[in-house]
Amino acid sequence: MSDELIVTVALCGAETTREQAPGVPYTPQEIAEEARRSFEAGARMVHVHARWDDGTPTQDAGRYRETVAAIRAAAPELIVQVSTGGAVGMTPGERLGSLEAAPEMASLTCGTVNFGRGVFENPSGLMLEFARAQLTAGVKPELEIFDAGHLDNARWLIAKAPLEGHQHYDLVLGVPGGLAGTPPNVVLLSDRLPAGSTWSATGIGRSFLAVTTAAIACGGHVRCGFEDQVEVEPGLPARSNADLVERVVAIAALAGREPASPARACELLGLAPR
Ligand code: KMH
Ligand code: ZN
């Protein structure tokens, strides 16, 4: 188990609104400023969704390029991971627009899952298409796991794509429709990951602290941010993403873990040094 911790900050997602969290960033400049503050608080990777100025989610290649360029200018040492999930209802072609921004990594969800009142569609053909698009673009996938069966889908994908070498997983727990955000579920999934993998976990909404503490105790890494949570603890709204990162770093410190250096974060994730 590594004592070093990689915090991924998911700054805005596609769904969180200013009504839910007044600090959620929309424009490239707002996103970049949140990225910088999060880096200073200890985040080492950023999970990027692009938005139009009015907050509408988009996978538009130009908007992603602009957003990623602003992040790189504000926080050059952050690892950039773009979303290929986009928002529920977007077409596969639309969702792949984000790869045009030349990130180091991109999310790749390993199966369909109910998502609130909608369905986040990731059938096997789409997973394969996305994995091949990422391989062609030289972008490392982060394998997103929303439910227990997604681990089996990931195993199938790794063999079929084929994705070789080290893999990094993100356990997204507590989505209404997916696996609940509980410590036993963190243990269940992390125990089943292939040896040599790295992984993070994120607890949606009220499951934030339970999932974060379990992941830290189990040797995993942690994702947080307005995409996933709007409160630092029940009743205490996060004013910025950095508030959530700071809470994760404080919990990790109690467990004897501290943020990896930017160079070590790349090494642990099997990425070229930046
Ligand atoms: N917005 C969700 C439907 C990802 O970024 O890859 C999907 C999502 C996953 O956020
Ligand atoms: Zn996302």
Side-chain angles (χ1 to χ4, degrees), residues 14-15 47 49 83-88 107 109 115 120 144 146 227:
E15 291 84 18
H47 171 76
H49 284 257
S83 169
T84 65
V88 165
S107 57
T109 296
F115 197 91
F120 181 31
E144 305 273 338
F146 287 70
E227 175 165 350

Side-chain angles (χ1 to χ4, degrees), residues 3 5 216 245-259:
D3 287 344
L5 180 75
I216 288 169
V245 175
E246 277 170 14
R247 179 58 65 98
V248 172
V249 169
I251 293 169
L254 292 173
R257 298 185 62 188
E258 59 179 43

Side-chain angles (χ1 to χ4, degrees), residues 2 14 20 22 74 84 86 98 107-108 114 120 153 163 177 183-184 198 204 218 241 256 264 268:
S2 166
Q20 296 167 297
T84 65
S98 59
S107 57
L108 201 174
N114 286 344
F120 181 31
N153 297 343
L163 299 175
T198 49
I204 303 299
C218 291
N241 282 281
R264 278 290 292 154
L268 290 167

Side-chain angles (χ1 to χ4, degrees), residues 13-271:
E15 291 84 18
T16 308
T17 63
R18 295 235 165 107
E19 286 67 48
Q20 296 167 297
V24 68
Y26 292 160
T27 68
Q29 291 67 33
E30 289 165 356
I31 289 173
E33 175 59 13
E34 282 288 288
R36 186 191 62 75
R37 293 171 71 181
S38 298
F39 175 76
E40 285 171 1
R44 295 293 175 257
M45 175 148 67
V46 61
H47 171 76
V48 183
H49 284 257
R51 304 277 193 112
W52 296 117
D53 287 353
D54 67 357
T56 307
T58 177
Q59 292 294 105
D60 178 77
R63 189 64 167 185
Y64 261 91
R65 275 195 289 266
E66 207 185 330
T67 303
V68 169
I71 294 170
R72 293 214 192 278
E77 292 181 293
L78 266 178
I79 297 164
V80 172
Q81 180 210 115
V82 298
S83 169
T84 65
V88 165
M90 288 179 173
T91 65
E94 223 178 332
R95 285 166 56 180
L96 286 174
S98 59
L99 293 184
E100 301 290 325
E104 285 79 54
M105 296 185 75
S107 57
L108 201 174
T109 296
C110 294
T112 294
V113 62
N114 286 344
F115 197 91
R117 289 166 185 262
V119 179
F120 181 31
E121 290 188 34
N122 299 283
S124 53
L126 178 146
M127 287 164 51
L128 206 47
E129 178 190 346
F130 279 28
R132 289 181 176 148
Q134 294 195 28
L135 282 171
T136 304
V139 172
K140 184 169 180 133
E142 175 180 90
L143 301 169
E144 305 273 338
I145 307 298
F146 287 70
D147 215 336
H150 287 191
L151 281 184
D152 303 296
N153 297 343
R155 195 170 302 116
W156 171 86
L157 182 67
I158 288 166
K160 192 88 177 169
L163 299 175
E164 287 172 8
H166 165 267
Q167 303 300 331
H168 182 66
Y169 293 79
D170 183 42
L171 314 177
V172 184
L173 300 179
V175 169
L179 196 63
T182 64
N185 284 338
V186 173
V187 175
L188 172 81
L189 297 184
S190 60
D191 274 355
R192 287 182 55 203
L193 294 175
S197 311
T198 49
W199 59 279
S200 60
T202 185
I204 303 299
R206 293 274 168 121
S207 68
F208 172 43
L209 294 177
V211 169
T212 296
T213 50
I216 288 169
C218 291
H221 303 284
V222 176
R223 185 176 106 171
C224 63
F226 281 139
E227 175 165 350
D228 300 338
Q229 309 94 15
V230 296
E231 291 181 332
V232 175
E233 62 184 46
L236 180 61
R239 291 156 307 171
S240 78
N241 282 281
D243 286 349
L244 295 161
V245 175
E246 277 170 14
R247 179 58 65 98
V248 172
V249 169
I251 293 169
L254 292 173
R257 298 185 62 188
E258 59 179 43
S261 69
R264 278 290 292 154
C266 289
E267 203 177 325
L268 290 167
L269 294 171
L271 299 170

